[in-house]
Amino acid sequence: MGKIDFGIRKPVDFSPLSEKILDETIIPQFERTVEKFSNQPAIKDFNSCLSYRELNNAINNLAKTIGDLVGKPKRPIAFLNERELMSIISMMAIAKIGGISVGLHPSNSVDQLRDYLVDSTAELIITSSKFRSTINALRLQIPELKVIFFDQPEITKECANPGVVSKPEDVFGIFYTSGSTGKPKGVMIGHLYKSQSIHYQTNGWFFSPSDRISLVTSSCYLASHPSIFGAFLNGGLLCIFDLHQNSAKKALNWIIDEKLTVFRSTPSIFRNIITLAPKDLKFPYLRFITLGGELVTNQDIDLFKLHTLEDCTLVNNYSSTEAGAICHYPIHHDLPSFEGMLPAGYPAPGKEVLLIDENGKNVAIGEVGEVVVRSKYLNLGYWRQEDLTALKYSTDPMDSEYRYCNSGDLGKFRNDGILEIVGRKDTQVKIRGFRIQLEIVDLALRSLPGVRDAATVVFGNVQGGERLAAYLVTDKKSTLTVNQIRLILADKIPGYMIPSRFIFMEQLPRTQTGKLSRNELPTPTNERPELSTAFVAPKSNLEIEIANIWKEMLGFDDIGIADNFFDLGGDSLLILQMSLAVEAATGRSFPQEFFKEPTIQHLCEMLEDTEVRSIENEKFLVKGIKDSEVKNIARKHKKKTILDKSLLIIKKLVRRSEPE
């Protein structure tokens, strides 16, 4: 296998991972880690922290429960949990008894969950009592589905390892992605792929027992697994943070308080958490950051350089669910400024990257071709879709151990051998790290009552991020509002695929051959959308203050105090930005009760009932902050800020943070 010199700082307790793992699976390596580090903390969230012994007890006890119910699993086993710690225990318990896991996300509708369960042929689902009504609805449609309600891990009861031996060629899990037909499309992830990826990442990124590694995305997504197994196979601590339940400031404080050494996320998450940190704040413990799922921007690199020490490395990851890791590009503090997009980088160990034209021939350096990956360590194909697998994968006729995977991405090689990605062959796009097929969104829109035609495009919002805009042609008698559209779509497609803007048109532009011309669709305007709620103008100073923040975040000229933040196109990332802006402008803690009624009116009522104070332990705001920095924060987040008031709040905050 080739090796990339990432230039990452090596901890003193680093120990290379043996290639023995390639001949077995990750489970024996995990159990060896448990024996060696039994009393060290293994996994932590806001509710609990489990040692390796306690984590292994929880996994083994659940594995025994599963075995008692189904014996040796004949079909895949699904898990559905709100708490990530429980999902990880479920996934590991399934692996320990030689089963195939299927992770289901709580944001999916009942219909989507049913489709995944039916497609995967899952015989059992592991879930919590919170989802009892969802399970009852599912069992009406899948009466043979078995259920284990898993509400509390059994961490003190000793339970022996099951001793089931999986083979490297066996399937570890099925991971669903959106398909071009709208049907579930599950990618089979093999044990050999997982063992090889964590082997080279451990030895290239130097995962060690002293590492404290972030997990900010769901274990249902393959991108989370380097964090999970980077910790579990090397004796490190996995630190879990729920971005959907906590504010941006808590995320920033969490990085500091947990003394994270490794941070992994999408560029959007990284950018929204780090953007407003004071200029003199540096994360002293971070030794490397990995970003993937989206394009890394100049802004991300500037933030990385500003807030990390000189020996910290940023790694740009280019990957796909089908091929796994494809390329990496290590970034150090001495990287000069550049224009355009950051390169995908050098081929990952064990991967060979080819660029081919429409005739299957290799293209010259500097020319654009489709990215094709050759490797022994590709994923196994699509679950129960042999025809689709044959289209995506092929065996090397010269060496049957190697296979090819067509990525669908377009790229070109530079003279120095670095790969640059220039786009997609089809209309698949990435928004906030999620791959989205625009035709699936179009199909869901066209199924709405009274909608005759629809199209979806990507547009850049005022905060610099990318969002989806939907263009609808409706019947003249249609009374559809944006609120109604969102409610209906929520039962048809995942939340991240629901457009932020909806534009109603008489007809859609088409080419001479009758095909949709997406390029001719008009740019979304700043006009307030048609909502079910009547427009109520802000009156009080606080309402006007918050409305101005929302206008800047959401890109509308007018926003009423009864308008729902999410009906206006808000999402989890914009919530991070908005909560931070509100706290900076008002000096008050952002109330979590906002989500029960996400309107300006409700937010102002809660803020007015809250004493003027800042969140506890706001280390990132008080460490060495200057008056000029306060003014910059204020000017950015509140055009009519009374600067003296902001200075007073910060000075009080500094006094409170000083030792008594």
Side-chain angles (χ1 to χ4, degrees), residues 372-438:
V372 177
V373 184
R374 178 181 181 270
S375 178
K376 291 192 293 184
Y377 308 108
L378 298 174
N379 290 323
L380 301 177
Y382 297 102
W383 174 257
R384 300 174 67 223
Q385 296 194 50
E386 294 182 1
D387 291 343
L388 186 58
T389 299
L391 287 174
K392 194 79 171 182
Y393 298 90
S394 59
T395 302
D396 187 335
M398 305 300 293
D399 189 340
S400 60
E401 285 192 349
Y402 287 83
R403 296 161 66 226
Y404 294 98
C405 177
N406 292 56
S407 72
D409 289 323
L410 298 175
K412 61 182 180 181
F413 278 121
R414 301 190 327 197
N415 290 330
D416 57 5
I418 291 176
L419 177 68
E420 293 181 344
I421 300 300
V422 298
R424 288 285 300 172
K425 282 184 67 177
D426 50 27
T427 57
Q428 191 179 68
V429 297
K430 273 190 175 181
I431 303 292
R432 292 178 290 144
F434 295 103
R435 285 189 180 273
I436 299 173
Q437 196 79 31
L438 295 180

Side-chain angles (χ1 to χ4, degrees), residues 565-581:
F565 184 81
F566 298 101
D567 288 340
L568 293 169
D571 55 40
S572 57
L573 288 175
L574 286 177
I575 278 287
L576 287 175
Q577 292 179 321
M578 188 268 286
S579 64
L580 192 55

